[in-house]
Amino acid sequence: MGDLLGVAVLGAGHMGADHIRRLDRVVSGARVVAVADPDAERAKEAVAAIAGVSVHTEAEAALAAPGVEAVIVASPGPAHEEALLAAFARGLPVLCEKPMVPEAAGALRVLEAEARLGRRLTQVGFMRRYDEEYRGLKALLDGGRLGRPLMLHCVHRNVSSPPGFTSAMLIDSSVSHEIDAARWLLGQELTSVTVRRPRPSSGAPRGLLDPQFVLFETDGGALVDVEVFVNCGFGYQVRCEAVCEAGSARIGDDRGVLVTTGGGAGAAVPQDYLVRFADAYDREVQAWVDATRLGRVTGPSVWDGYAASVVAEAGVRALESGARVPVEPAPRPDLYALDGH
Amino acid sequence: MGDLLGVAVLGAGHMGADHIRRLDRVVSGARVVAVADPDAERAKEAVAAIAGVSVHTEAEAALAAPGVEAVIVASPGPAHEEALLAAFARGLPVLCEKPMVPEAAGALRVLEAEARLGRRLTQVGFMRRYDEEYRGLKALLDGGRLGRPLMLHCVHRNVSSPPGFTSAMLIDSSVSHEIDAARWLLGQELTSVTVRRPRPSSGAPRGLLDPQFVLFETDGGALVDVEVFVNCGFGYQVRCEAVCEAGSARIGDDRGVLVTTGGGAGAAVPQDYLVRFADAYDREVQAWVDATRLGRVTGPSVWDGYAASVVAEAGVRALESGARVPVEPAPRPDLYALDGH
Amino acid sequence: MGDLLGVAVLGAGHMGADHIRRLDRVVSGARVVAVADPDAERAKEAVAAIAGVSVHTEAEAALAAPGVEAVIVASPGPAHEEALLAAFARGLPVLCEKPMVPEAAGALRVLEAEARLGRRLTQVGFMRRYDEEYRGLKALLDGGRLGRPLMLHCVHRNVSSPPGFTSAMLIDSSVSHEIDAARWLLGQELTSVTVRRPRPSSGAPRGLLDPQFVLFETDGGALVDVEVFVNCGFGYQVRCEAVCEAGSARIGDDRGVLVTTGGGAGAAVPQDYLVRFADAYDREVQAWVDATRLGRVTGPSVWDGYAASVVAEAGVRALESGARVPVEPAPRPDLYALDGH
Amino acid sequence: MGDLLGVAVLGAGHMGADHIRRLDRVVSGARVVAVADPDAERAKEAVAAIAGVSVHTEAEAALAAPGVEAVIVASPGPAHEEALLAAFARGLPVLCEKPMVPEAAGALRVLEAEARLGRRLTQVGFMRRYDEEYRGLKALLDGGRLGRPLMLHCVHRNVSSPPGFTSAMLIDSSVSHEIDAARWLLGQELTSVTVRRPRPSSGAPRGLLDPQFVLFETDGGALVDVEVFVNCGFGYQVRCEAVCEAGSARIGDDRGVLVTTGGGAGAAVPQDYLVRFADAYDREVQAWVDATRLGRVTGPSVWDGYAASVVAEAGVRALESGARVPVEPAPRPDLYALDGH
């Protein structure tokens, strides 16, 4: 590809700062060129390690900054509508964190604005669609091997809810992930919703109706149920089981997609080391690039490379002789004395 | 960080081309500036999509090319020694694919050369040290909770071996990964090796002694056993169980590290969505950058954002009323008619 | 204990014949002394292998037969009420298959009759209460370690439904197991019920509303949801997850009870071989008793006992010497030539 | 079957007492008629709850007691040879605990004695052959679906070893189970053995070489390796993985047999409730018989049966109406007030 994509990031809070770090340190092909936050100090801090980023307190100013070719909207939800409309006005592609717009009325205004443009500019930040397990489940459902999906059983648990979390937010903030995931996995729209709830957990803040149990019907004749429990205390768990006419498939417990059909219950086994260790290769090279840019050398050393050769040669002799073969390396140079493996 | 690190890649075969793609499309902070391969066409093809890369048939020429600040050695093993010595001569940091040098004698020459420099320039490509599960196991062993490691049980299975694979290569190519992983995990050197083998599998090429069972002793009083089976036919499986004085820990079967102690057998549960979905966020943003640079918009649309709002609002009303509440969105604009979820 | 309990079995169909076999071949301390079935041939066949059993076509006659001290009611549901009242009249202890009485009105008459007796005579055949996993889950919930139960998520799947199975039977036959299990596990009564259903599976017989999703509330403020799917096609699966204030626990997927708390997700590890192999010991001795009564000898032979000694002695020498020690047994006598291990 | 088999039990220690309980309370078709132990008090105690058992201090006297038709040898190993020869002299069928005879020389004398009889009288107590998982693995290997077995990887761990346990006993007592299991699973004889060991665990008693790693070769060209660790501290674990030409199969971790083939990794799903709940039915009826013989009534009550009917009827109305239907039972009679579910 060609030059790096110039990105303005709106919002330098938790999520915005994380996206800035990601663009700078993880993702290939883009660079942060502008940042906006009402708190200028916070904005400066978020880009302190990056050269050449203009800092603004107004979203509009960041969008107008030199070099901006695209926008990430990571400001608080109530600011999204204005930010999206401003980006549309400039024709800038947008990655907008969820909720796109908190209220359906405002979301509809954004929808109508983009529809008037006649082309999509926006990718909404429903990140589960990019999770390996969700993608595996989606591919499985789309492939048709399990037949028509009948039900999705979903679980969404958080250790604890942040301050100010309300009973409604269990649905419009937490369950909104399952709403999108269900629509995406099934390719169907949700048509009704029923909510039941047990007596709240004593682990939930007083007055918060937590947990809740939400039951959707879809226009394709499927059911979707969601346990949402944001003060479960024991972990962050996201599970989804699709029950289909010819089998079921579950994610969130084990590696990959656990499929149950007439043949048994099980998961695919990777067929190739590039699949199994794809992330390891990526991290290896990223670690090398990062260290090298800092003038450092880390990771497996030449001593490690040498040791592997010496041991392997002894192993081949052991294979040939059937005997126990000692491994006898040269002395370890001081340079490698403290590499601590 | 500052400017992008200029990298020369030696070798444009399977592994070299993959590293070129990785530097260009996945990893942040580096760019390919030179490539060398005896097959100039292959080298050209590997960098066809990248602007400004000089192509060479000699490694030396690539190292001398303008902008080269670091080297990835991905040429065939027998070419590594010369490439490493040439990089050392120029003081260039190197990421060298394994085997560092196939023969112990050559590996020793490289070791002595780097030792003479008095500083490390080389990271050897034992990528398992960067795998999330191996790192989790290493951290667990180093943390000391399980006590001193007594044994490592390792399994290394490939679907099938490539043409020309010899009985010795089960050890010096395949098991070399376990050799490094065991040394790293234990922080100990291997001191002896014994090999036993069953009657070869009928699934192996005639004459290949496959599978084999390799048993190492270490200078710390531990045992390491490895099943290596490169024509198992059913999948790529890498497992490692560390049996320690106070518990055991296993990777390769399930998500993360399965630990057995007096308290039971189990795995950690993530405590945070940023941990559980870290990769999803990275892929989401990478997908957005990639699409945007191509002038495209993909992923969840404004319709998806709007639908989530409408459903969530109905859900909150269902929570309040206890009744089944219908979901009633505005009509879907044509722009989103074919987004196919 | 003393003499064997004399049991009359009412009903010689699938379930009745299985109970007769169980009393005769599996369970200790009882013997079948009478059987009744309107189909006398079926009754005779069910007890053909057992000496001294009187065969009847009327339940009343079987109850009055000599030696009857207790009754198993395994006749069709509509016959249960009369059978139970007859047993009550004779003061006979009863094990009554489920449903105790199909209609609530009849069940109430039985309840009132036993209550008038002022003592319990009846054990109802909800066998899940005797399943090892359910008992483990019950003990865990009662123990209080996980805190108050908030929700039970249940799954009940059958490969296919028998002929004549109706949409109502998904609830009053299949889900009746979960109704009892939920009441027992929670120690709470169910107070309301809601049923939702997707478009029926194409694998279900035409007109059968299968699957269904049933949602109960309890007088203790808990929720119980049940997926019932009697034509799932792929297996018999019964799962139950209890979500509590301080953790969750699930049965039906793996061995034992999978518990998730703040410490991770895992299962207990047996601490003793008598626990792990309790069933094996029982089956071993039962197999020996059965074979001996038939004048046969099966199972591990003296050759197997001898071989274990010879190998073990070689193993001890190998431990002492560090060498590979050959195993050299005496020739195998012809008697053991064909024992086929 | 006919009358109960009269069994003499030799040895009233831990194992003998357990077999006496098993014959009396668990197994169908046999009764204990004689017991022998040098410690007469111990013998009396072991049969205190059983009527009509003669108590002896000499094995020979127990074998000669009236009604003895078969023998269980559960005395200490050194007494087995004499007991077996005495049983052979009387033509009595024997179930002999392992080790059949501790020394190979004595085992050979027993072998020759039974061979002279020309018929088998002895079943040796290798109880793993009766374990459900081992039987499943054996059936899978015999069925041939996975092809020829190449290797067995075995793990045998105990929490702690009993007093007096020696380094040799890790092999001749603990690994003897794997010796038999391997011979049985493979249908092959073991031909050589090599033992390696790490530095002993600090959790092992001083001087005990624990753990050990034992490697066998077989006459069928297979390898068998065994980790034996009798002071692992964390649990009793027995695992066995069979690596075959066309797949692998593992027991000891999860329910049933985990099979990995080209199609993935997984386990069979039961197809029938009588399979899934077979043990529950057996325990249910045994519990009923036991309680009834003691004049007690336990388990699910008529109230439970009635409650199930009332709830199910409400459920069917909920299915028909789509509404939330309240459950309205009659008042609970006092008789059932305290049944505590």
Side-chain angles (χ1 to χ4, degrees):
Chain A
M1 291 202 176
D3 292 334
L4 301 184
L5 181 75
V7 178
V9 177
L10 307 186
H14 186 57
M15 203 72 223
D18 198 49
H19 279 312
I20 289 167
R21 176 197 62 78
R22 185 171 286 112
L23 289 170
D24 184 46
R25 303 290 298 276
V26 181
V27 158
S28 167
R31 62 196 175 99
V32 182
V33 294
V35 60
D37 197 283
D39 179 344
E41 283 312 304
R42 185 161 80 163
K44 274 184 203 158
E45 194 175 320
V47 298
I50 313 173
V53 185
S54 63
V55 174
H56 312 266
T57 53
E58 298 293 327
E60 186 60 38
L63 299 188
V68 170
E69 299 168 283
V71 189
I72 288 184
V73 176
S75 47
H80 286 194
E81 180 179 349
E82 187 180 339
L84 286 163
L85 297 178
F88 293 174
R90 293 178 180 277
L92 291 171
V94 192
L95 173 60
C96 179
E97 268 306 313
K98 59 141 305 248
M100 185 183 76
V101 177
E103 316 263 299
L108 184 58
R109 287 190 293 270
V110 168
L111 180 78
E112 291 167 345
E114 197 187 55
R116 275 195 302 271
L117 288 178
R119 61 189 176 104
R120 285 186 55 189
L121 282 177
T122 312
Q123 174 180 326
V124 177
F126 289 118
M127 86 291 182
R128 288 197 191 170
R129 299 196 190 190
Y130 297 90
D131 175 65
E132 192 178 359
E133 293 192 353
Y134 271 95
R135 293 178 86 89
L137 180 57
K138 170 74 170 162
L140 184 70
L141 296 180
D142 287 355
R145 178 160 79 92
L146 297 187
R148 181 167 60 89
L150 301 164
M151 291 173 281
L152 297 183
H153 303 313
C154 308
V155 165
H156 184 151
R157 296 174 187 152
N158 295 81
V159 176
S160 60
S161 58
F165 213 77
T166 66
S167 297
M169 289 171 77
L170 271 80
I171 293 173
D172 62 29
S173 176
S174 299
V175 177
S176 70
H177 282 290
E178 274 74 24
I179 291 172
D180 183 68
R183 294 178 60 251
W184 175 65
L185 287 170
L186 297 172
Q188 298 173 18
E189 296 291 350
L190 306 180
T191 55
S192 86
V193 52
T194 306
V195 181
R196 293 278 186 277
R197 56 181 186 82
R199 185 148 57 86
S201 172
S202 63
R206 177 178 294 270
L208 190 69
L209 303 178
D210 180 32
Q212 298 178 19
F213 193 81
V214 186
L215 192 53
F216 298 103
E217 293 168 297
T218 79
D219 62 3
L223 292 183
V224 177
D225 58 88
V226 184
E227 174 206 319
V228 56
F229 189 3
V230 299
N231 290 280
C232 82
F234 51 83
Y236 179 71
Q237 293 189 306
V238 168
R239 288 208 301 254
C240 182
E241 177 175 23
V243 184
C244 304
E245 290 190 330
S248 79
R250 191 169 67 190
I251 59 174
D253 280 314
D254 295 286
R255 175 198 301 281
V257 184
L258 182 71
V259 178
T260 303
T261 63
V269 173
Q271 297 294 303
D272 193 285
Y273 69 96
L274 285 178
V275 173
R276 168 65 181 85
F277 285 114
D279 287 348
Y281 279 111
D282 292 351
R283 289 197 190 97
E284 175 193 61
V285 177
Q286 186 70 63
W288 176 71
V289 168
D290 291 349
T292 301
R293 294 173 83 193
L294 294 168
R296 297 179 189 153
V297 180
T298 60
S301 72
V302 169
W303 174 258
D304 297 317
Y306 168 66
S309 296
V310 171
V311 175
E313 286 189 1
V316 171
R317 288 201 305 277
L319 169 65
E320 291 163 356
S321 69
R324 173 199 270 175
V325 172
V327 177
E328 296 169 318
R332 182 195 288 222
D334 289 346
L335 179 59
Y336 309 104
L338 297 168
D339 72 350
H341 294 282
Chain B
M1 292 205 178
D3 290 335
L4 301 185
L5 181 75
V7 178
V9 177
L10 307 187
H14 186 58
M15 203 72 221
D18 198 48
H19 279 312
I20 289 167
R21 175 198 62 78
R22 185 171 285 112
L23 288 170
D24 185 46
R25 304 289 300 276
V26 180
V27 159
S28 166
R31 63 197 176 98
V32 182
V33 294
V35 60
D37 197 283
D39 179 345
E41 284 312 304
R42 187 162 78 164
K44 274 184 203 157
E45 196 175 318
V47 298
I50 311 173
V53 185
S54 64
V55 174
H56 312 268
T57 53
E58 300 293 329
E60 186 60 38
L63 299 188
V68 170
E69 299 167 282
V71 190
I72 288 183
V73 177
S75 47
H80 287 192
E81 183 180 348
E82 186 181 338
L84 286 164
L85 297 177
F88 292 175
R90 293 178 179 277
L92 291 172
V94 192
L95 173 60
C96 179
E97 268 306 313
K98 57 142 305 247
M100 183 185 77
V101 177
E103 318 263 299
L108 184 58
R109 286 190 293 270
V110 167
L111 180 78
E112 291 167 345
E114 197 187 51
R116 275 195 301 272
L117 287 178
R119 63 190 175 105
R120 286 186 54 189
L121 282 176
T122 312
Q123 175 179 325
V124 177
F126 289 119
M127 85 292 183
R128 287 196 192 169
R129 299 197 191 189
Y130 298 90
D131 175 64
E132 193 178 359
E133 292 193 353
Y134 271 95
R135 293 177 87 89
L137 180 56
K138 170 72 169 162
L140 184 69
L141 295 181
D142 287 355
R145 179 161 76 92
L146 298 187
R148 181 168 58 91
L150 302 164
M151 292 173 281
L152 296 183
H153 303 315
C154 307
V155 165
H156 185 152
R157 297 175 185 151
N158 295 82
V159 176
S160 59
S161 57
F165 212 76
T166 66
S167 298
M169 290 171 77
L170 271 81
I171 293 172
D172 62 28
S173 176
S174 299
V175 177
S176 70
H177 282 291
E178 273 75 24
I179 291 172
D180 184 67
R183 294 178 60 251
W184 174 67
L185 287 170
L186 298 174
Q188 298 173 17
E189 296 290 350
L190 307 180
T191 55
S192 87
V193 51
T194 307
V195 181
R196 293 277 185 278
R197 57 184 187 78
R199 185 146 60 84
S201 171
S202 62
R206 176 178 295 269
L208 190 69
L209 302 178
D210 181 33
Q212 299 177 19
F213 192 80
V214 186
L215 192 52
F216 298 104
E217 292 169 297
T218 79
D219 62 3
L223 292 183
V224 178
D225 58 89
V226 184
E227 173 205 318
V228 55
F229 189 3
V230 299
N231 289 280
C232 82
F234 52 82
Y236 179 71
Q237 292 189 307
V238 168
R239 285 208 302 254
C240 182
E241 177 176 22
V243 183
C244 305
E245 290 191 329
S248 79
R250 192 168 67 190
I251 59 174
D253 281 314
D254 295 285
R255 175 197 302 281
V257 184
L258 182 70
V259 178
T260 302
T261 63
V269 172
Q271 297 295 302
D272 193 285
Y273 69 98
L274 286 177
V275 173
R276 167 66 181 83
F277 285 114
D279 286 348
Y281 279 110
D282 291 350
R283 291 199 188 94
E284 174 193 63
V285 177
Q286 186 70 66
W288 176 70
V289 168
D290 291 349
T292 301
R293 292 173 84 193
L294 295 168
R296 295 178 190 153
V297 179
T298 60
S301 71
V302 169
W303 175 257
D304 297 315
Y306 168 67
S309 297
V310 172
V311 175
E313 286 190 0
V316 171
R317 288 202 304 278
L319 169 66
E320 292 162 355
S321 70
R324 174 198 270 175
V325 173
V327 176
E328 295 168 319
R332 184 194 286 224
D334 290 346
L335 178 59
Y336 310 103
L338 296 168
D339 72 354
H341 292 286
Chain C
M1 294 202 175
D3 293 334
L4 301 185
L5 181 74
V7 178
V9 177
L10 308 186
H14 187 57
M15 203 72 222
D18 198 48
H19 279 313
I20 289 168
R21 175 196 61 79
R22 185 171 288 113
L23 289 170
D24 185 44
R25 304 289 300 276
V26 180
V27 159
S28 167
R31 63 198 174 97
V32 182
V33 295
V35 60
D37 197 284
D39 179 344
E41 284 311 305
R42 186 162 78 163
K44 275 184 202 157
E45 196 176 319
V47 297
I50 312 173
V53 184
S54 64
V55 174
H56 312 267
T57 53
E58 298 294 328
E60 184 62 37
L63 299 188
V68 170
E69 300 167 283
V71 190
I72 290 183
V73 176
S75 46
H80 287 192
E81 181 179 351
E82 186 182 340
L84 286 163
L85 296 177
F88 293 175
R90 293 178 178 276
L92 291 171
V94 193
L95 173 60
C96 180
E97 269 306 313
K98 58 145 301 252
M100 183 183 76
V101 177
E103 317 263 297
L108 184 58
R109 284 190 295 269
V110 167
L111 180 77
E112 291 167 345
E114 197 187 51
R116 274 194 303 272
L117 287 179
R119 62 189 177 106
R120 286 186 55 189
L121 283 176
T122 313
Q123 175 180 324
V124 177
F126 289 118
M127 85 292 182
R128 288 196 191 170
R129 299 196 191 188
Y130 298 90
D131 176 64
E132 193 179 359
E133 292 192 353
Y134 272 95
R135 293 177 86 90
L137 180 56
K138 170 72 170 163
L140 184 70
L141 296 180
D142 287 354
R145 179 160 77 93
L146 298 186
R148 183 168 58 90
L150 301 163
M151 291 173 281
L152 297 183
H153 302 314
C154 308
V155 166
H156 185 152
R157 296 173 186 154
N158 295 82
V159 176
S160 61
S161 58
F165 213 78
T166 67
S167 298
M169 289 171 79
L170 272 80
I171 294 172
D172 61 29
S173 176
S174 299
V175 177
S176 70
H177 282 291
E178 274 75 23
I179 291 172
D180 183 68
R183 294 178 61 252
W184 174 66
L185 288 170
L186 298 172
Q188 298 174 16
E189 297 291 349
L190 307 180
T191 55
S192 86
V193 51
T194 307
V195 181
R196 293 278 185 277
R197 57 183 186 78
R199 185 148 58 85
S201 172
S202 63
R206 176 178 296 270
L208 190 69
L209 303 178
D210 181 31
Q212 299 177 19
F213 192 81
V214 185
L215 192 52
F216 298 103
E217 293 168 297
T218 79
D219 61 4
L223 292 183
V224 178
D225 58 88
V226 184
E227 173 205 320
V228 57
F229 189 3
V230 299
N231 290 279
C232 81
F234 52 82
Y236 178 71
Q237 293 189 308
V238 168
R239 286 208 301 255
C240 182
E241 177 175 23
V243 184
C244 304
E245 291 191 329
S248 79
R250 191 168 68 189
I251 58 173
D253 281 313
D254 296 284
R255 176 198 302 279
V257 183
L258 183 71
V259 178
T260 303
T261 63
V269 172
Q271 297 295 303
D272 193 286
Y273 69 97
L274 286 178
V275 173
R276 168 64 181 83
F277 285 114
D279 286 348
Y281 280 110
D282 292 350
R283 289 197 189 97
E284 174 193 59
V285 176
Q286 186 71 65
W288 176 71
V289 168
D290 291 350
T292 301
R293 293 173 84 193
L294 294 168
R296 296 178 189 152
V297 179
T298 61
S301 71
V302 169
W303 174 257
D304 297 315
Y306 168 67
S309 296
V310 172
V311 175
E313 286 190 0
V316 172
R317 287 200 305 276
L319 169 65
E320 291 163 355
S321 69
R324 174 199 269 175
V325 172
V327 177
E328 295 168 319
R332 184 195 287 222
D334 290 347
L335 177 60
Y336 310 104
L338 296 169
D339 71 351
H341 294 284
Chain D
M1 292 203 176
D3 292 334
L4 302 185
L5 181 73
V7 178
V9 177
L10 307 187
H14 187 58
M15 204 72 222
D18 198 48
H19 279 312
I20 289 168
R21 176 198 61 80
R22 186 172 285 113
L23 288 170
D24 185 46
R25 304 289 302 274
V26 180
V27 159
S28 167
R31 64 197 173 99
V32 182
V33 294
V35 60
D37 197 283
D39 180 343
E41 284 311 303
R42 188 162 78 163
K44 274 182 203 160
E45 196 176 319
V47 298
I50 313 174
V53 185
S54 63
V55 175
H56 311 267
T57 52
E58 299 294 327
E60 184 61 37
L63 299 188
V68 170
E69 299 168 284
V71 190
I72 289 183
V73 177
S75 45
H80 287 193
E81 181 179 350
E82 186 180 338
L84 286 163
L85 297 178
F88 292 175
R90 295 178 178 276
L92 291 171
V94 193
L95 173 59
C96 181
E97 269 306 314
K98 58 142 305 251
M100 184 184 75
V101 177
E103 317 263 298
L108 184 57
R109 285 190 294 270
V110 167
L111 181 77
E112 291 167 346
E114 197 187 53
R116 275 195 301 272
L117 287 178
R119 64 190 175 104
R120 286 186 53 190
L121 282 176
T122 313
Q123 174 179 324
V124 177
F126 290 119
M127 85 293 183
R128 288 196 192 169
R129 299 196 191 189
Y130 297 90
D131 176 65
E132 194 179 358
E133 292 191 353
Y134 272 94
R135 293 177 85 89
L137 180 56
K138 170 73 170 162
L140 185 70
L141 295 180
D142 287 354
R145 178 160 78 91
L146 298 187
R148 181 167 59 90
L150 302 164
M151 290 173 282
L152 297 183
H153 303 314
C154 308
V155 165
H156 184 151
R157 296 174 186 153
N158 294 83
V159 176
S160 60
S161 57
F165 214 76
T166 67
S167 298
M169 290 171 77
L170 271 80
I171 293 173
D172 61 30
S173 176
S174 299
V175 177
S176 70
H177 282 291
E178 274 73 24
I179 291 172
D180 184 68
R183 296 177 59 250
W184 175 66
L185 287 169
L186 298 172
Q188 298 173 17
E189 297 290 350
L190 307 180
T191 54
S192 86
V193 51
T194 306
V195 181
R196 293 277 185 279
R197 57 184 186 79
R199 184 146 59 84
S201 172
S202 63
R206 177 177 295 269
L208 190 70
L209 303 178
D210 180 33
Q212 299 178 18
F213 193 80
V214 186
L215 193 51
F216 298 102
E217 294 170 297
T218 78
D219 62 3
L223 292 183
V224 177
D225 58 87
V226 184
E227 173 206 319
V228 56
F229 190 3
V230 299
N231 289 281
C232 81
F234 51 84
Y236 179 71
Q237 291 190 308
V238 168
R239 287 208 301 254
C240 181
E241 178 175 22
V243 184
C244 305
E245 291 190 330
S248 79
R250 191 168 67 190
I251 58 173
D253 281 314
D254 295 285
R255 176 196 301 280
V257 184
L258 183 70
V259 178
T260 303
T261 64
V269 173
Q271 297 295 301
D272 193 285
Y273 69 97
L274 285 179
V275 173
R276 167 65 181 84
F277 285 114
D279 286 347
Y281 280 111
D282 291 350
R283 288 198 190 96
E284 173 192 62
V285 176
Q286 186 72 64
W288 177 71
V289 168
D290 291 348
T292 302
R293 291 173 86 193
L294 295 169
R296 297 180 188 150
V297 179
T298 62
S301 71
V302 168
W303 174 258
D304 297 314
Y306 168 67
S309 296
V310 171
V311 175
E313 285 190 3
V316 171
R317 288 201 305 277
L319 169 65
E320 291 163 357
S321 69
R324 174 199 270 175
V325 173
V327 176
E328 296 169 320
R332 183 195 287 223
D334 290 345
L335 177 61
Y336 310 104
L338 296 169
D339 71 350
H341 294 282

